[in-house]
Each structure stands twice: as C-alpha cells, then as structure tokens.
Amino acid sequence: MDIKCDFLFHKPFLQISEIRTENYLRLDDVEYFVSFLNSEFKSNKGGNSFVFALYVAQTYNEDAMPERVIKISKYPEPYNYIRNKIRQKNINKRFRQEIEALYDCKQRDVGNVIDIAFDGNLICRTSEDGEFEVSFPFYVMEYAEYDLKSYLEEENEEYDEASRVELCLQIAQGIKELNDLGYYHRDIKPDNIFMINGTWKVGDLGLIQMRNKPSLDNKGELVGPRGWLSPEAMNKYLSENVEGKNFDCNIDHQSDLFQLAKVFWYILQGNAPIGCVKESDFLLRNSSLYSLIKQMLNHSKKRRPASVDIVIDNLQKIVNKYYK
C-alpha cells in the first residue's frame, strides 16, 4: 500500500503539526487525523521509528480515543523503490523483519502479541514545494490504553501482590508464544508491554531474531534496551570485536528470560535488580517467587531455566497459592 502523504516532510526527519486536525491521512479507505501518542510528550518511543496515534476523522472530537497507532521507520528510501529494490531492502531490513514477524503471529492467532492491521509505504516530499521523492515504510497496529510503566504508576496503590504475579504470568505467556514460533524478542522492557482491552500484550518487535536464520546484527552492536540488557548482549557489545575473547554473545531465548526477570522485579516492587541481588533486596516475603527470579537472573545461561515453559509452570503454582 503506497500512500502519498502531504503532512509529513523529510527535513531530514518526520514531523507533524501540534494541531491534530491539520494532520490528515487516508489509510485503507479510512480518513484519520494524526497526533502524538501523548499530548505532553512531543517525541516518539524507539530509536529507529516514529509512533503516532490515529483518530478516525469522521467521528472525531477532542475527547476521542485513538482508533489505531501507526509506526513509521525513520529511514527514508528512494521513492522509485522498484528500481532501487535492493537498496530499499537493506535500509529497512529490521523494520520489515518486524512486520513479517507480526504477520506471522497474526496468522497463528497469537493472543499476547500486539496485532498488526496492515502495512505500506508513505510517499513524502523532501520540502513543501518539492516533488514526492522519499518513501517511509510503515505499519498500523491496535491502540494500547497503557504501557506497563504508565499502568503501574497509575495503579500502584490498588494493584495487590497476587495481581502483579498474574501480570508476570500473562507477559511470560506472550514471550512463550514468540519462542514457540522460533522468535527471540531481545527488547523486553516495560515500554514494550501494553494493555489492550484488558489483555497484556508484547509489542515492538524491532530487534526480533528468528531461530536458525542469519542474524541482522552487526558485529559488536549494542542489541537491546539500556538498563535491561542480558549478559550476552553486553558481551556482544564489549568483546565480540576483541580478538582472542570467547564469551557467549548469542542473544537468544534465555536472554529473553533474563530481561523478563528484570521486568518481573520491576512489576513486583517498582525498581530494577542491578548487580548481585540478595533475598533481602526483594521486598515481598515470597521465597518461591524470589528463587525463580534469581534463577532467571543468573549470569550463566546454564544456570537459568531451560525455557520460558518452566517459568510459566512455576508462576502458575505461585498464583494458585494466592487463591487457596
């Protein structure tokens, strides 16, 4: 789907007006106004993309909720992308891999991964007086009422211990669905976990890696979110380019478990586990829960759970005890 877009210009970045109704876009035969996801936050999440809220123009009023969300790559491609097909693929290879993974999840009815509606290319001008010369790949997905961080900040006092453990379980099930399809998420953090119609879903698959497929990572690249990185991700960044070093630099399903454990800790008590944690650092008096998280946080993969299924099984047993 190619959309010629008047409200976005490459100078050299995408930008929109702060007046919502001045940003008009027609997608899949529906007319939308485009705005920031948060009126108080005029920038966008993600280092490689812009994310905007879409409001149905026909039923729009100032109190309306967004209907959908559009995610647009920050990297422009030549408008004549047929002639430059190879170059186009190289510029946005990760973005297109993310789209492919989302469609894969959609076709297989994965319930705890955010749902993609459709994708395409926004054909934009280099200036207000110029011709349509650059193209930005995009996809449209469902709108989330909250991300995990904003939800916990708002519900902090009312969300009891049992509910928080159930939340951990639901997120783990989303990672299991990805792992079962052969995907490693590799970018698990509170900003990438969303509440949609009462269900927690994993989103932002921009660093997704398919098992047994060539990696798109560059040698020595920092892969993952700062503050939530697995030991393997740090090994890759610090030592992969160092001759004679032989540390584990493979960011895989057990790396997802490490990141997941940090998110669990954040859900349960509001901070992140840094360094060598002890049970005295864990505010909840629940040894079974602490032991599970501690195992997931092991520096060595051999000492972490072998799969997310083990994590889910243990979490389910813990949840069951709350309701006996």
Side-chain angles (χ1 to χ4, degrees):
M1 177 189 298
D2 285 350
I3 307 294
K4 288 195 173 182
C5 182
D6 288 325
F7 77 91
L8 295 164
F9 302 102
H10 177 239
K11 305 180 179 176
F13 49 85
L14 297 168
Q15 57 184 217
I16 63 173
S17 168
E18 291 190 19
I19 301 172
R20 190 177 294 167
T21 53
E22 290 184 358
N23 306 316
Y24 173 85
L25 190 60
R26 186 179 181 87
L27 297 169
D28 202 26
D29 295 325
V30 179
E31 297 170 352
Y32 294 100
F33 294 132
V34 185
S35 184
F36 302 101
L37 279 175
N38 187 325
S39 60
E40 298 177 359
F41 187 72
K42 296 298 194 303
S43 60
N44 289 273
K45 296 179 181 178
N48 300 308
S49 61
F50 289 93
V51 183
F52 298 110
L54 297 175
Y55 297 81
V56 176
Q58 188 175 2
T59 58
Y60 176 74
N61 62 67
E62 289 188 2
D63 298 322
M65 296 292 290
E67 179 72 16
R68 285 173 167 170
V69 170
I70 185 169
K71 183 173 183 178
I72 311 167
S73 170
K74 285 184 177 179
Y75 301 115
E77 302 169 338
Y79 173 37
N80 187 0
Y81 57 84
I82 296 176
R83 187 177 62 189
N84 296 283
K85 191 172 182 180
I86 295 176
R87 183 182 173 192
Q88 180 204 33
K89 282 187 176 180
N90 289 338
I91 291 174
N92 282 299
K93 53 190 176 180
R94 271 188 174 155
F95 194 84
R96 288 191 167 81
Q97 181 174 260
E98 178 179 5
I99 292 172
E100 182 182 343
L102 287 169
Y103 276 126
D104 193 12
C105 291
K106 185 182 182 77
Q107 288 176 344
R108 300 175 190 235
D109 295 320
V110 173
N112 290 101
V113 173
I114 205 159
D115 184 51
I116 186 172
F118 53 87
D119 71 292
N121 286 74
L122 292 178
I123 312 302
C124 308
R125 298 180 292 185
T126 54
S127 69
E128 295 189 26
D129 300 323
E131 298 294 329
F132 288 99
E133 294 180 357
V134 293
S135 166
F136 295 87
F138 75 89
Y139 71 85
V140 172
M141 59 184 149
E142 57 190 336
Y143 170 72
E145 298 95 328
Y146 298 96
D147 65 25
L148 179 60
K149 183 175 184 296
S150 62
Y151 183 85
L152 290 179
E153 286 174 352
E154 187 166 313
E155 302 290 332
N156 188 47
E157 298 300 323
E158 300 179 11
Y159 220 51
D160 63 18
E161 182 177 323
S163 299
R164 289 172 187 262
V165 178
E166 287 184 293
L167 195 162
C168 293
L169 178 58
Q170 199 170 149
I171 294 168
Q173 288 166 339
I175 298 302
K176 170 180 165 56
E177 289 175 316
L178 284 173
N179 286 177
D180 285 351
L181 293 180
Y183 291 109
Y184 313 140
H185 189 286
R186 310 194 309 164
D187 195 15
I188 302 171
K189 59 182 179 178
D191 304 63
N192 292 341
I193 299 166
F194 304 96
M195 166 68 83
I196 300 173
N197 297 324
T199 299
W200 286 102
K201 297 189 178 186
V202 178
D204 197 343
L205 309 188
L207 294 179
I208 202 87
Q209 174 62 43
M210 185 69 175
R211 186 185 303 128
N212 300 325
K213 278 197 172 182
S215 173
L216 298 178
D217 300 342
N218 295 316
K219 197 169 183 180
E221 181 181 4
L222 183 65
V223 178
R226 295 180 185 274
W228 306 89
L229 292 167
S230 66
E232 305 80 62
M234 285 305 300
N235 287 344
K236 178 177 177 60
Y237 176 64
L238 295 173
S239 65
E240 193 172 34
N241 281 321
V242 180
E243 193 172 335
K245 300 294 184 182
N246 192 30
F247 298 114
D248 180 6
C249 300
N250 185 30
I251 310 169
D252 59 14
H253 66 288
Q254 287 186 302
S255 307
D256 279 357
L257 293 188
F258 187 93
Q259 289 185 320
L260 198 57
K262 300 192 83 170
V263 170
F264 287 175
W265 189 288
Y266 169 74
I267 290 169
L268 294 166
Q269 65 180 48
N271 68 337
I274 304 295
C276 298
V277 296
K278 300 177 181 179
E279 191 163 0
S280 58
D281 300 317
F282 194 58
L283 301 181
L284 302 182
R285 294 296 172 254
N286 189 322
S287 293
S288 297
L289 193 53
Y290 170 77
S291 295
L292 174 62
I293 296 174
K294 175 68 172 175
Q295 185 182 8
M296 295 167 70
L297 287 172
N298 269 307
H299 189 277
S300 170
K301 288 180 184 175
K302 293 179 181 178
R303 299 176 64 188
R304 293 179 212 160
S307 71
V308 71
D309 298 84
I310 296 171
V311 173
I312 289 172
D313 183 60
N314 279 274
L315 281 176
Q316 188 63 66
K317 290 175 182 176
I318 294 168
V319 167
N320 292 343
K321 290 181 180 179
Y322 287 110
Y323 299 104
K324 279 188 176 181

